[in-house]
Amino acid sequence: MIKNYIKTAFRTLTKNKGFTAINVLGLALGLATCMLIVFYVADELSYDRFNVNADRIFRVNNDIKFGGNENSYAQSPAPMAATLKSDFPEVEQVVRFRGQGGYKVKKGSQNIQEHRVIYTDPSVFSVFTLPMISGNPNKALTETHSVVITERIAQKYFNTTQAVGRVLIFNDSVLYKITGVIKNIPAQSHFNFDFFIAMTGLKESKTTSWLSSNNFNTYILLKKGADYKKLQAKMPSFLEKHAGAELQNILHLTFKDFEQDGNYFKFNFIPLKKIHLESNRVGELSANGNLQYVYIFSAIAIFILLIACVNFMNLSTARSSNRAREIGVRKVLGSPRRFLIAQFLTESIMITLAAAIIAVFAACILLPLFNQIAGKELTVTKQIIWWMVPALISIVFVIGCLAGSYPALYLSAFQPIEVLKGKTATGFKGGILRSFLVVFQFSISIFLIIGTIVIYSQLKYIQSTDLGYNRDHILIVQNSWSLGGKAKAFKQEIKQITGVQSATLTQALPTADYGNGNTVFKTPVANQKSAILTQMWPVDEDYIPTLGIKIAAGRNFSNQMPTDSSAIIINATAAKLLGFSNPLNQTLYRPMDNELKRFRPLHIIGVMKDFNFNSLRQNITPMIIYLDNDESSLSIRFNSANIPMLIGQIKSKWSAF
C-alpha cells in the first residue's frame, strides 16, 4: 500500500510540474534560511561548553558606584583569587587573566604583531580544558618568562608542534621560553588566546591592594555540589573583612558609611556558560554575543518556516478544483477517505523531502556568505551532521504532516455526487481557516518587513550619527613606539607630506577600546563626596584637531606653554558631573599613590564636546585628556585622493627611520 501511495504521489507531482516546483522551492527557501539561523543559534548557545568542568566554573564580577559614576566590570582585584581559595573550602581552584595588549614577536628577520596574548596563572590548565600536546601542564607556567602557545602558533613560527624548549623574542628585547603547546582553543570560547604568559613575571599581580588593582579577570572552580549563590551571599562580609581597613585608611570611612552616601563596591559571580550571551561588562576578554539576538533570530526562523508551510497549504487548497473530479471518481470507486488522506500526506511529505534535500545543499553553498554577514566561522562538521540528519528527518515528517493535513482533510471531504455534477463542494467549511491562514501569512510578512526597515534605520543611524569626532580620512600607523624614541621625529616628517593635515601620537583612540579609568578629586584630600570616576587618556597637542573634536569652552593644549604639562581638558559630561558653574581654571587632584596620600593638581584649560568612545548603546561617561608621551601609534588625518600613493610615501618614511 505504501509503495502504491509513493508511486501515485510521484506521478501526480511530476504531472503538475509548475505546482510542484513552486511548492518545493518555496519550502526549500524557508528551510534553508531556517537552517542557517539554526546554525547561528546553535553556535551561540555552544560557547564554553567544551570545558569538562563548565558547570562548576564561575567568573568574579565587580560592580562599583563611586564619585557620581557607576560601572560594571568583568574584572576584580589582584588578591581576590588567592583569598577566595584560602577563605572558602568550597572553592577548588582559581585562575586569573591579565591583558597587557599585543606584542611584536620575532620570526627570522620579521617582527609580527600578535594581539592574542594574555598573562595567566599556572592553574589555568586545572580550571579550563586546554589539552596540552607537549609539555607538563602542572609546571608549564611556574617560571618567569615562560609561555605556552597554541599549535597554530607553533606551526606558524617553527613549522612543528614540538616547540617546547624553543625561545620566542617579544618586542625585540624580552625572551620567553616555550614550556608547553596546547591544542587550538575552539572558536566557541569567550576567550581565544594564542600566547599564555606566566603571571609570575607581572609585578602588578603581586599587589595586595583591593581598591586600586581592579584589572584581573578572575575565575573560580567550585567543588562538586557547591552552590555559587550561597558563596555569593558571603561576599559583602568577605569584602568588608579584606578591604575594610584599606577603605578606612584611604577614605576614612567604613563600608556602611561608604554605602550610606549612595556608593557601593560589590562582587558577584556569573556561570561560565552565561558569559558569552549574558555579559557585556567593562574588561571582557573578547566581544560577547547577546541573548536577545538568539531569541530574535529563533523567532525569525520559526516565522519564515511558518510562512513556507502556510504558503504550501494555500497553494494546495487553491488548486482543489483541479483535483475535485479525481477525488470524486476515487470515492465512487470505493476509496475510503482515510486512503485519500494518506495519499495527500504522502505527496506532502515527498514535497517536503525534496525541499529539505535542496535546502541542505543551498545552506552549504550560502554558508560562506552567511559567515561573512554574521561574523562567524561556521562549518559543517561531523557533530553538526550527527544531530542535523535526524533533526531533518523529523522536520520532514512533522512539516509534511502539518502542512499537508489541512489540504488532505479539505480535499478528501468533497462529496462525490456534487463533484460529478460539476459543483465543487466546500468540504468541511474551511473558508474561515483559509482566510485566517492568508491573513496570518501576510501579517508575518508585514512584521518581518517592518523589522527589516527598523534594522536598516538603525544601521543608517550608526553610519550617519554625529559621534563627536570625525573618523573619516584618518590613517593609523600601529607600533610607532618601535622606532626607538624617534616617533616624534617620524610624526614631524609625516606632517610634511603633501595631503597630510595633522597627526597625533597616542594609543588612546575612540575606536581602540582604550579603557583607563581613574578617580580624581575636587579637593586635595581623599573625600568620596568630591570624587569623580573618569576616563583619563594620554594625548599630545595635536589630538583634538586630528580627530576633529570640538572645543566648547577654553582652549586646546599648546606646546608653547610649559604649564600645560599639568593641564587637562574635560568633556561636557565631566563638567556637568563636577558641578562647577565655570569649570575653566578650576583644579582637580589626581592621586599619585594607592594610599591617596599625595595628589597632583590638574588645571582645567578647556571643555570639549562629548564624543562617543564606547558603544552607542552606552551613555557617554566622564572623560579627561592630558598631555603625555604616548608613542604607541600614529594617527594621520589626510585630504589626499590618492591613498595608495600616500601610504607608499608613509611606508618610505617608516623604512628610512
Side-chain angles (χ1 to χ4, degrees):
M1 183 62 72
I2 296 176
K3 183 178 180 181
N4 183 61
Y5 287 153
I6 296 174
K7 186 183 293 186
T8 305
F10 182 77
R11 287 174 180 173
T12 303
L13 294 176
T14 52
K15 181 181 177 182
N16 301 279
K17 294 182 178 63
F19 164 79
T20 303
I22 292 173
N23 257 338
V24 169
L25 292 177
L27 273 174
L29 183 61
L31 282 170
T33 305
C34 185
M35 284 176 61
L36 289 173
I37 295 176
V38 167
F39 287 161
Y40 174 87
V41 171
D43 182 77
E44 288 290 286
L45 294 175
S46 67
Y47 268 70
D48 295 307
R49 296 177 187 272
F50 65 89
N51 289 284
V52 174
N53 298 318
D55 292 327
R56 297 193 285 131
I57 301 174
F58 302 85
R59 188 184 67 197
V60 184
N61 291 332
N62 191 1
D63 295 320
I64 299 175
K65 182 179 181 182
F66 183 61
N69 197 5
E70 53 187 316
N71 272 312
S72 297
Y73 296 92
Q75 299 163 315
S76 55
M80 169 62 79
T83 312
L84 280 173
K85 187 177 181 182
S86 63
D87 281 20
F88 300 106
E90 57 264 48
V91 176
E92 181 178 316
Q93 190 55 274
V94 293
V95 64
R96 298 171 300 171
F97 291 110
R98 177 66 170 107
Q100 292 272 302
Y103 288 93
K104 291 174 70 177
V105 182
K106 198 84 170 178
K107 182 184 180 182
S109 59
Q110 280 184 303
N111 269 316
I112 302 175
Q113 181 68 30
E114 298 286 359
H115 297 282
R116 293 157 70 161
V117 183
I118 197 77
Y119 284 85
T120 188
D121 293 314
S123 55
V124 63
F125 305 110
S126 301
V127 177
F128 296 99
T129 303
L130 303 172
M132 192 163 280
I133 298 173
S134 59
N136 186 342
N138 297 321
K139 299 180 180 179
L141 294 175
T142 55
E143 297 180 5
T144 303
H145 288 178
S146 58
V147 62
V148 172
I149 60 177
T150 60
E151 57 181 320
R152 173 173 49 245
I153 295 300
Q155 290 286 355
K156 179 178 179 179
Y157 285 88
F158 305 108
N159 296 320
T160 177
T161 58
Q162 302 303 312
V164 172
R166 307 286 286 271
V167 174
L168 288 172
I169 302 174
F170 285 24
N171 292 346
D172 273 332
S173 57
V174 186
L175 276 65
Y176 283 92
K177 181 182 177 182
I178 299 173
T179 54
V181 178
I182 61 173
K183 290 185 178 180
N184 294 329
I185 300 175
Q188 293 77 21
S189 173
H190 81 284
F191 66 82
N192 211 310
F193 299 105
D194 286 322
F195 298 83
F196 294 85
I197 303 176
M199 186 77 80
T200 53
L202 197 63
K203 183 179 179 181
E204 180 189 8
S205 67
K206 299 178 178 64
T207 181
T208 57
S209 173
W210 286 81
L211 302 181
S212 61
S213 62
N214 194 53
N215 299 311
F216 293 81
N217 298 84
T218 304
Y219 296 81
I220 61 173
L221 174 66
L222 294 185
K223 292 181 179 178
K224 292 181 179 179
D227 187 349
Y228 81 95
K229 292 183 179 179
K230 291 182 179 179
L231 179 61
Q232 186 169 293
K234 301 175 185 177
M235 285 299 100
S237 58
F238 168 82
L239 179 61
E240 188 170 358
K241 173 185 174 182
H242 294 284
E246 190 175 348
L247 183 68
Q248 183 71 43
N249 182 47
I250 293 175
L251 294 177
H252 309 292
L253 292 170
T254 64
F255 266 99
K256 185 177 180 181
D257 296 332
F258 182 74
E259 292 173 352
Q260 280 182 346
D261 288 335
N263 299 311
Y264 56 75
F265 187 35
K266 301 175 182 177
F267 293 127
N268 58 76
F269 303 108
I270 181 172
L272 178 67
K273 291 181 179 179
K274 291 187 177 182
I275 291 176
H276 177 67
L277 289 177
E278 300 183 32
S279 182
N280 185 25
R281 292 169 168 262
V282 176
E284 296 283 353
L285 291 177
S286 64
N288 287 334
N290 192 316
L291 188 60
Q292 289 184 347
Y293 294 163
V294 172
Y295 290 143
I296 290 171
F297 286 130
S298 298
I300 290 173
I302 293 171
F303 284 153
I304 290 174
L305 201 56
L306 283 175
I307 288 177
C309 292
V310 171
N311 189 61
F312 173 64
M313 293 182 188
N314 289 335
L315 283 172
S316 297
T317 52
R319 65 186 291 272
S320 59
S321 59
N322 294 340
R323 304 195 66 176
R325 292 186 182 277
E326 173 195 340
I327 295 163
V329 171
R330 282 173 177 255
K331 283 197 170 185
V332 168
L333 293 175
S335 179
R337 187 185 179 192
R338 66 177 184 275
F339 287 176
L340 292 174
I341 292 174
Q343 181 63 55
F344 289 124
L345 288 178
T346 302
E347 292 179 15
S348 175
I349 291 172
M350 288 182 67
I351 289 175
T352 309
L353 179 62
I357 294 171
I358 295 173
V360 168
F361 286 103
C364 292
I365 293 171
L366 294 173
L367 193 58
L369 178 61
F370 181 77
N371 282 336
Q372 189 176 0
I373 296 171
K376 289 284 187 179
E377 297 179 5
L378 304 176
T379 56
V380 180
T381 61
K382 291 181 180 179
Q383 289 80 6
I384 290 178
I385 294 174
W386 185 81
W387 63 260
M388 186 177 70
V389 172
L392 268 178
I393 293 173
S394 302
I395 288 172
V396 166
F397 279 97
V398 171
I399 292 178
C401 292
L402 287 177
S405 59
Y406 172 52
L409 294 171
Y410 176 76
L411 294 174
S412 65
F414 287 168
Q415 299 300 318
I417 297 175
E418 297 295 326
V419 171
L420 294 176
K421 286 182 178 180
K423 300 177 181 179
T424 303
T426 57
F428 55 96
K429 299 181 180 179
I432 296 176
L433 181 57
R434 275 183 288 143
S435 299
F436 168 77
L437 290 175
V438 172
V439 172
F440 177 71
Q441 185 181 25
F442 274 90
S443 298
I444 293 177
S445 300
I446 292 170
F447 171 77
L448 293 176
I449 290 170
I450 292 173
T452 303
I453 294 172
V454 170
I455 292 172
Y456 172 77
S457 300
Q458 286 288 307
L459 292 173
K460 191 174 181 181
Y461 171 77
I462 291 172
Q463 292 171 343
S464 61
T465 189
D466 182 9
L467 298 175
Y469 67 97
N470 185 1
R471 61 183 177 181
D472 295 328
H473 298 98
I474 291 184
L475 178 70
I476 302 174
V477 180
Q478 300 283 7
N479 304 318
S480 52
W481 57 265
S482 62
L483 294 176
K486 298 179 181 178
K488 288 185 178 180
F490 176 66
K491 169 187 166 182
Q492 296 304 321
E493 287 286 329
I494 295 300
K495 290 174 72 173
Q496 303 305 314
I497 297 176
T498 303
V500 173
Q501 293 178 299
S502 60
T504 180
L505 275 169
T506 182
Q507 184 184 3
L509 295 173
T511 57
D513 193 25
Y514 182 85
N516 187 26
N518 282 262
T519 301
V520 296
F521 296 86
K522 293 167 65 175
T523 60
V525 178
N527 185 332
Q528 67 167 339
K529 293 183 179 179
S530 72
I532 174 174
L533 192 62
T534 178
Q535 288 287 312
M536 293 197 70
W537 289 8
V539 303
D540 64 12
E541 67 276 3
D542 293 315
Y543 185 81
I544 285 178
T546 300
L547 293 185
I549 298 170
K550 296 180 176 61
I551 295 288
R555 63 175 178 85
N556 185 25
F557 298 114
S558 172
N559 55 12
Q560 304 299 319
M561 302 187 69
T563 56
D564 277 4
S565 60
S566 63
I568 57 173
I569 298 174
I570 64 176
N571 68 351
T573 296
K576 182 179 179 181
L577 193 60
L578 287 166
F580 293 131
S581 57
N582 180 15
L584 296 179
N585 300 317
Q586 298 286 349
T587 302
L588 298 179
Y589 298 88
R590 182 181 184 181
M592 297 178 65
D593 53 49
N594 293 336
E595 288 75 27
L596 305 186
K597 302 297 184 184
R598 297 183 300 125
F599 294 86
R600 180 188 179 191
L602 302 171
H603 306 290
I604 302 174
I605 63 169
V607 178
M608 56 187 171
K609 290 187 177 180
D610 286 336
F611 63 90
N612 286 94
F613 51 89
N614 286 320
S615 165
L616 290 177
R617 291 179 295 180
Q618 297 176 265
N619 293 327
I620 296 175
T621 55
M623 163 67 70
I624 293 175
I625 59 175
Y626 64 97
L627 283 177
D628 197 11
N629 294 321
D630 183 356
E631 300 181 350
S632 299
S633 65
L634 178 69
S635 299
I636 305 163
R637 174 166 294 282
F638 62 91
N639 58 8
S640 172
N642 193 342
I643 297 177
M645 185 181 74
L646 176 67
I647 292 176
Q649 291 177 300
I650 295 173
K651 182 178 179 181
S652 177
K653 296 282 187 184
W654 177 274
S655 299
F657 273 83

